[in-house]
Structures are given as C-alpha cells and as structure tokens.
Amino acid sequence: DSVSGAITLEKFDALVEETERRFGRIVLDRKDEKRRIAIRFDEFIDGSGRSDKSVQHFIMADGWLCEQDYKNKSFTKRQIVKPGEDFDPLALGEGPVPLPIGQKKSEVLARFDVTETELPLDIPLLGSLRDVAALRLVPKSGTPMAKDHENIDLFYDRTTLVPVGVVMRETNGNRTVARISKPVVNGEVKAEDRALLEIPTPDPKEWAIDVKPLAGSN
C-alpha cells in the first residue's frame, strides 16, 4: 500500500483566533509489512500571513519518530515503541496527522461513534473537494481521545477510497484541518518521495542531534 501527494495542514487557535498553515508533501508506504509515514513541510504561513520557507521533516518508521528542523538545524529522534512491538503510525491519535488509512472497522467502532456527515461550509481549504464520502467520528466516553477531542470528520474520495480531507475539532475550540491534493494511490512512488521515508543521519558538526531510545529497549 502506498499513497503520496501534496498536503496542506491548517491549525486554528481558538484562544488567539489565528490560523497558521503549512504546505508540503506526504508519503505513506509499507516496508516489511510495517507502515511508514513521512511529511515534509517546506512553507509555513503564520497567523499574521507572514511566510517562512524553512523546512520541517517528520518521519514515523521502524518504531521511531524523527523531526528534522532545517531552520534551527536540529534533529530529534525518539523511539516510541520497543523492537518487535506493533505500532501503526496511521492510527487515530498516534501519527502527526489523523489519516486512518487501513484501520480495521472493528477498531474504529470500538473507539468512536460513527455517522455520515457533510462537507463543512466554514472551511475554505476543503471547499474544492468533490465526490467524497464524509464520516463523523465522535470519541466514545472513556477512550483516550474523548478528554480533549469533540469529533473528527473524514472525507474519502469515492473512487480511490483514500482520505483526502480531515477536520479534527478539540473541546477547547482548536481545530486542525488536513487536505491531501492529487494523491497517487498504489502507483509508482517518485524517488524523491520515497527518499523522504528514510531516516537521515545528519552531520553532528552542523546539527544539534538528540536521540532518545526507550528505557530497557537495548
């Protein structure tokens, strides 16, 4: 299974009533039956509209979460599961963006009440979506996401069944929106996209490096 495409991530902060946006690429793939995800943002627009072209690269692969911040020359690599343990970076509440590709229906229904919904009229980022199926997921009481999250709306392309839009609303009024444009599904992943999935080894003379393995994982 593989998906690659352009991604826009929009975050609304209800406290200051400002919206920030990030633009980049997203790549999902399997390696040895384990899924990997990479997102590389190469443009950031803050709440005042100022643009910053600095790069941030996130990778979740092989039990590690990595973040490479090109502006600050920092590289962080955190082990999030022990070797041999199962972890799905696309599970809701686990990955950098809520894109539940390939989740088992039983797992989703155990954690959420699911109903059909409509495209939101108040989110311009999703206004260009066409021919999509829309689902609303409300966290069940007592589940990990119920404390801070009101609901999650998922928008699937009816032809490819790939998520092309997500709205995640928090109980404090904050909102995260993700939009995947021109996705390539189970096709030829470009070499430059596939390279985003490889965990880099930055030069310690040029980068501040912080590697944090889990206790007892050696």
Side-chain angles (χ1 to χ4, degrees):
D1 299 341
S2 67
V3 179
S4 58
I7 184 171
T8 302
L9 188 67
E10 178 181 277
K11 292 191 174 184
F12 172 73
D13 187 321
L15 183 62
V16 296
E17 296 187 343
E18 288 187 348
T19 300
E20 63 179 39
R21 297 175 181 86
R22 297 180 186 274
F23 304 88
R25 298 284 298 173
I26 182 170
V27 187
L28 316 173
D29 200 8
R30 282 185 183 270
K31 181 182 181 181
D32 301 326
E33 296 304 314
K34 295 183 179 180
R35 292 196 284 189
R36 303 175 295 164
I37 178 171
I39 302 176
R40 177 185 167 105
F41 292 115
D42 50 28
E43 183 178 5
F44 170 73
I45 299 178
D46 67 17
S48 66
R50 289 178 298 183
S51 177
D52 184 348
K53 295 291 186 178
S54 61
V55 172
Q56 280 191 300
H57 184 190
F58 300 88
I59 305 172
M60 294 184 73
D62 305 324
W64 293 82
L65 170 62
C66 305
E67 178 181 355
Q68 193 169 13
D69 183 339
Y70 283 68
K71 182 176 183 178
N72 297 307
K73 288 287 184 176
S74 67
F75 175 77
T76 303
K77 181 179 177 181
R78 299 197 306 272
Q79 190 176 24
I80 48 183
V81 290
K82 295 180 180 179
E85 291 185 357
D86 291 331
F87 176 77
D88 185 356
L90 300 181
L92 285 168
E94 302 290 357
V97 292
L99 292 173
I101 298 175
Q103 295 294 293
K104 293 181 179 179
K105 181 178 178 180
S106 59
E107 293 177 356
V108 174
L109 292 177
R111 298 167 60 190
F112 300 92
D113 293 319
V114 182
T115 58
E116 292 186 9
T117 188
E118 302 291 336
L119 276 170
L121 299 178
D122 61 337
I123 303 179
L125 180 58
L126 302 180
S128 63
L129 288 177
R130 298 290 183 272
D131 196 25
V132 294
L135 297 176
R136 171 160 293 180
L137 280 60
V138 178
K140 291 181 180 292
S141 177
T143 58
M145 294 193 74
K147 179 180 178 182
D148 300 317
H149 294 82
E150 183 178 325
N151 56 55
I152 301 171
D153 290 347
L154 303 175
F155 306 97
Y156 294 86
D157 182 282
R158 292 186 183 276
T159 302
T160 62
L161 301 182
V162 168
V164 290
V166 180
V167 180
M168 185 165 61
R169 299 177 181 87
E170 299 178 40
T171 53
N172 61 7
N174 290 350
R175 182 181 69 203
T176 300
V177 183
R179 168 82 163 92
I180 297 180
S181 304
K182 300 179 181 179
V184 176
V185 184
N186 294 332
E188 183 61 33
V189 179
K190 296 179 181 179
E192 55 266 36
D193 281 342
R194 195 174 295 280
L196 296 180
L197 294 163
E198 300 300 327
I199 297 175
T201 307
D203 186 344
K205 296 179 180 179
E206 299 180 4
W207 292 76
I209 298 175
D210 185 13
V211 178
K212 299 177 180 179
L214 281 173
S217 62
N218 295 332

